[in-house]
Amino acid sequence: MLRHMDHVDDEPKMHQLMKAVRTAVKKTLKKRAESVEYNALWLANMLRLLNNLRQYSGDTIYQSANTPRQNQQCLRIFDLSEYRQVLSDIAVWIYQGLIHLLERQLERLIIPAILEHEEISGLSGPSARPPQAGAGPQRLKQELSATHDHLHTFAVDQPLRLMIFKQLFYYICAYSLNQLLLRKDLCCWAKGLQIRYNISHLETWIKEHLAEYGQKSVEEILGVLKPITQAVQLLQARKSMQDVQSTVDMCANLTAMQVCKILNMYTPAEEYEVKVTREFIHEIQKKMQEKTGANPDKDPVSLNLIILVF
């Protein structure tokens, strides 16, 4: 249709068509704002349209991969660069809406699945609550698998799928870590072991479902979970003065403030652990500040990991 309008030089109709596309997409998604399927579908559609407009724009930068036949089919009169920017902005808006929707769906599952689920029996004593049915890592993995299937079904581009999962696992890590830093009842050796086991379920899911993106991408996404992994390793590690340097090295992705807060809230097991001393915490803080130099506290984990540009 655009080619025909370009051929007959019907600029008013071209403007009418492009404005209608923008209005219709926004209207549809506002009605279906809570639908992952609709957001994924229109994200894929909008990017496909944007890529086609670039490919057939006639701009030299986008013609290098075209065949001679495709270059003959490029627009001759219209310059749609302004509309391409509009469509790019809409694609970013759809992406952000999709991410926020997915994060809201995951939020209610993260604490039960990562921090509270107790699959290893006998660690928390006879008074521990039995695990809630459907509230553990399995439920969280089902939600991630459903998202993975939706993105495949609607043919969302592979780099964008990878970006979405990187954002989601960053959110899972940040939300878990923030909650851990607020709850003294989670800061003990037994809970550290339970949480580490729960995280291993996510690591297994990443290796099984995201292997198609390549080993490097899998390692990058696994790396996103390092802050929460290191936090629970800190709960399990020895905390004597001889262990200061190894503790600092182990917590490379945590800030001094986060490490010190966990240590201050740590509750030792009465049978075999000694209390964490102030000297140990001060030495940890000193070493971490020396390691980071002029910026003693790295930026805290942010939930806005990715700034998307199409």
Side-chain angles (χ1 to χ4, degrees), residues 160-172:
L160 190 55
R161 296 201 302 267
L162 182 63
M163 193 181 299
I164 289 171
F165 280 110
K166 192 171 184 180
Q167 179 81 53
L168 293 181
F169 280 103
Y170 195 93
Y171 181 79
I172 290 171

Side-chain angles (χ1 to χ4, degrees), residues 194-205:
Q194 294 277 10
I195 295 170
R196 184 67 189 91
Y197 184 73
N198 295 338
I199 293 171
S200 71
H201 283 280
L202 294 184
E203 293 172 340
T204 301
W205 187 93

Side-chain angles (χ1 to χ4, degrees), residues 283-300:
E283 192 65 22
I284 289 287
Q285 186 175 28
K286 178 183 174 182
K287 290 279 188 182
M288 293 193 76
Q289 289 176 350
E290 289 175 356
K291 189 174 181 179
T292 53
N295 184 21
D297 286 320
K298 293 175 287 186
D299 292 336

Side-chain angles (χ1 to χ4, degrees), residues 7 53-54 79 136:
H7 180 71
L53 290 181
R54 286 171 174 166
D79 178 8

